[in-house]
Amino acid sequence: MGHIIVIGAGIVGLATAHHLLREGVCVTVVDRDPEGDKASFGNAGGIAVTEVIPASVPGVLWKVPGWLADPLGPLAIRPAHAPRLIPWLLRFSRAGRPSEFKRITAALAALNTRVYDDLLPLLAEHDLREELQQLGALTVYEQKTAFDEDAMQWGLKRSCGIEVRTLTGNEAREIEPALSQSITRGVFTPQWSHVRDPKTLVDKLRQSLLARGLCIQVGEVCGIRPGLEGGAVAVGLGDGRWLPADKVVVAAGAWSGLLARRLGDKVLLESERGYNTTIPDPGVVLSREVIFAERHFVATPLSCGLRIGGAAEFGGLHAPANFKRSQALARLAERYLPGLRTEGGTCWAGHRPATPDSLPVIGASPRHPGVIYAFGHGHLGLTQAATTGRLVSDIALGKPPLVDLAPYAISRFN
Ligand SMILES: Cc1cc2nc3c(=O)[nH]c(=O)nc-3n(C[C@H](O)[C@H](O)[C@H](O)COP(=O)(O)OP(=O)(O)OC[C@H]3O[C@@H](n4cnc5c(N)ncnc54)[C@H](O)[C@@H]3O)c2cc1C
């Protein structure tokens, strides 16, 4: 394989470039803003390998009206976008049927089980091993009822080989003393880890790949022309240039659906916008990522400060961000972390590329084998990037896949 173009310089595109370069492929990454802000920069930094439960759990739809009623609550749908969201929501509802739920959980577990096999060598090769903090994560609860409600999910995780240790409130405070007395239960998941700063990771990885021969082209990809002579493809840029290649990988995050649809491949992909506030001097110390289960937010101790984030807002790719959400999350955290100082926090928002079944799209286009898709990782793009890159590289080079790729095929949206 001579030359492959990867569209997107987020963590998924860069991890794909890493694996292809290792195989001796000549790689060009095209991005309209390779060093700019994107989901891969501002996320919570979690290597959340224990997250094998899809967003559409049986019964979740009953909770939606309550979440939507709170204007700064965990879920929001912008009214102007609601009609366009209907097909996605219908598919989301279908994903919550018991048989689908089981199938999706198995498919997420198949990817997440491989994560460290692919991530640790990638970090080591780029001298980034220090960026990973393998300290587990702590999920905390105030109410016994909420803990009991989640018992089925924790049991399912155990059955997928995930280590789950239940704790009393005091045991949770022993490992994270900053937590308030209102916490009555905890669950420790030692396999979870977090990175010191997702932006630093992406910046250093990009620089290291450039030093190994990666070529980066700045440009807006407006089209892909497949089926050229000899199976080649070409990528069209906004300035009228066409870049030829043997294959193209679409790793353009939440924007990937626009490119796939232009090629005739149907896909349900939405921007699920998330928000956070990063506080450089928070006045409290956490050692690991803490997940506040009932309130649907997380706090991660990063080298740039304590990042408090969450929220799922469906408003399309063009709606302006509502940073009141970032501020509301920081205020919420004050209740659970007494002494937290939120002054000086930086607000941020980013587009999670969300499919309705919580599974990414990984695989070749059924219409155009020269085009390979690698997007739709939702809440788990940082976690699954190295594994996705490995799988995409194997697809491009015609190697047998390490996992059954059927659950991730784009054809599931036909
Ligand atoms: C608040 C929040 C918290 C999160 N926390 C976590 C977490 O703890 N753990 C985890 O695993 N994941 C987390 N995620 C999800 C994760 O950040 C994303 O799934 C992941 O970053 C997606 O990476 P990507 O490379 O696919 O997309 P992106 O990072 O969005 O990169 C896509 C790139 O494609 C480029 N692009 C798009 N279209 C074009 C075009 N037409 N032409 C040229 N360039 C184009 C863009 O400029 C961009 O650089 C979180 C996300 C958010 C928003």
Side-chain angles (χ1 to χ4, degrees):
M1 181 60 56
H3 178 216
I4 294 184
I5 291 179
V6 178
I7 305 170
I11 190 66
V12 174
L14 292 181
T16 301
H18 157 83
H19 285 286
L20 289 169
L21 283 169
R22 287 191 85 239
E23 296 288 342
V25 177
C26 172
V27 185
T28 302
V29 167
V30 183
D31 198 302
R32 58 179 162 237
D33 186 12
E35 295 172 25
D37 200 4
K38 56 195 84 182
S40 301
F41 274 27
N43 61 55
I47 304 299
V49 292
T50 63
E51 294 310 280
V52 296
I53 308 287
S56 184
V57 291
V60 73
L61 291 177
W62 296 107
K63 297 184 179 168
V64 167
W67 289 338
L68 289 176
D70 178 354
L72 295 177
L75 175 69
I77 298 176
R78 300 261 179 125
H81 191 64
R84 297 190 59 182
L85 198 58
I86 290 170
W88 192 99
L89 287 173
L90 290 173
R91 189 63 181 255
F92 179 84
S93 144
R94 207 170 98 190
R97 289 181 193 161
S99 61
E100 273 295 273
F101 175 72
K102 245 174 105 176
R103 181 187 69 78
I104 295 167
T105 300
L108 282 170
L111 282 184
N112 287 5
T113 306
R114 276 207 57 82
V115 162
Y116 288 116
D117 297 337
D118 300 310
L119 179 64
L120 293 177
L122 180 151
L123 294 176
E125 272 188 46
H126 296 279
D127 212 7
L128 291 168
R129 189 60 187 75
E130 296 281 291
E131 296 297 320
L132 188 70
Q133 308 284 296
Q134 290 188 277
L135 297 165
L138 181 64
T139 303
V140 295
Y141 294 85
E142 281 184 294
Q143 306 291 335
K144 180 178 180 305
T145 44
F147 178 78
D148 290 344
E149 250 181 54
D150 282 359
M152 180 278 282
Q153 294 186 25
W154 290 115
L156 199 54
K157 287 181 182 181
R158 278 198 180 99
S159 72
C160 293
I162 293 162
E163 205 180 327
V164 170
R165 294 184 209 152
T166 52
L167 307 174
T168 63
N170 284 338
E171 285 168 339
R173 272 181 295 280
E174 260 168 45
I175 59 171
E176 290 297 348
L179 289 169
S180 73
Q181 290 296 325
S182 66
I183 299 302
T184 63
R185 280 167 182 75
V187 179
F188 181 59
T189 42
Q191 286 145 318
W192 185 304
S193 51
H194 69 273
V195 299
R196 282 161 48 83
D197 181 353
K199 177 171 171 9
T200 306
L201 180 75
V202 175
D203 283 343
K204 286 188 175 172
L205 179 58
R206 187 180 60 249
Q207 280 150 17
S208 178
L209 289 167
L210 282 168
R212 285 161 186 239
L214 174 69
C215 174
I216 295 191
Q217 278 276 343
V218 181
E220 171 88 26
V221 174
C222 297
I224 299 170
R225 197 182 281 161
L228 303 182
E229 208 178 312
V233 277
V235 167
L237 302 185
D239 60 10
R241 280 181 297 155
W242 283 91
L243 308 177
D246 295 299
K247 286 191 189 292
V248 170
V249 177
V250 178
W255 295 267
S256 303
L258 306 171
L259 295 170
R261 281 190 286 269
R262 273 183 215 155
L263 287 167
D265 285 325
K266 283 188 193 157
V267 63
L268 291 170
L269 184 76
E270 282 291 332
S271 154
E272 182 192 331
R273 196 181 239 157
Y275 288 85
N276 58 42
T277 297
T278 305
I279 307 162
D281 182 19
V284 295
V285 176
L286 292 180
S287 302
R288 54 186 59 70
E289 190 162 353
V290 177
I291 299 106
F292 297 84
E294 289 129 309
R295 298 296 178 160
H296 306 278
F297 76 96
V298 304
T300 320
L302 302 176
S303 56
C304 53
L306 185 64
R307 180 162 292 167
I308 295 159
E313 182 189 71
F314 292 87
L317 287 164
H318 304 295
N322 173 8
F323 288 111
K324 284 186 185 156
R325 294 195 168 281
S326 300
Q327 291 151 6
L329 286 163
R331 278 199 304 277
L332 192 57
E334 288 179 87
R335 282 173 45 183
Y336 300 95
L337 299 169
L340 175 68
R341 289 195 303 261
T342 56
E343 302 88 58
T346 307
C347 297
W348 179 86
H351 297 285
R352 297 184 192 97
T355 60
D357 57 10
S358 299
L359 292 173
V361 177
I362 303 172
S365 160
R367 294 159 177 267
H368 312 292
V371 178
I372 302 168
Y373 295 122
F375 63 83
H377 296 78
H379 291 235
L380 293 175
L382 175 65
T383 305
Q384 295 171 343
T387 295
T388 300
R390 171 71 199 270
L391 294 172
V392 168
S393 165
D394 287 352
I395 295 166
L397 301 177
K399 293 187 179 178
L402 291 162
V403 299
D404 173 17
L405 292 171
Y408 322 109
I410 198 165
S411 56
R412 70 188 192 269
F413 296 107
N414 284 343

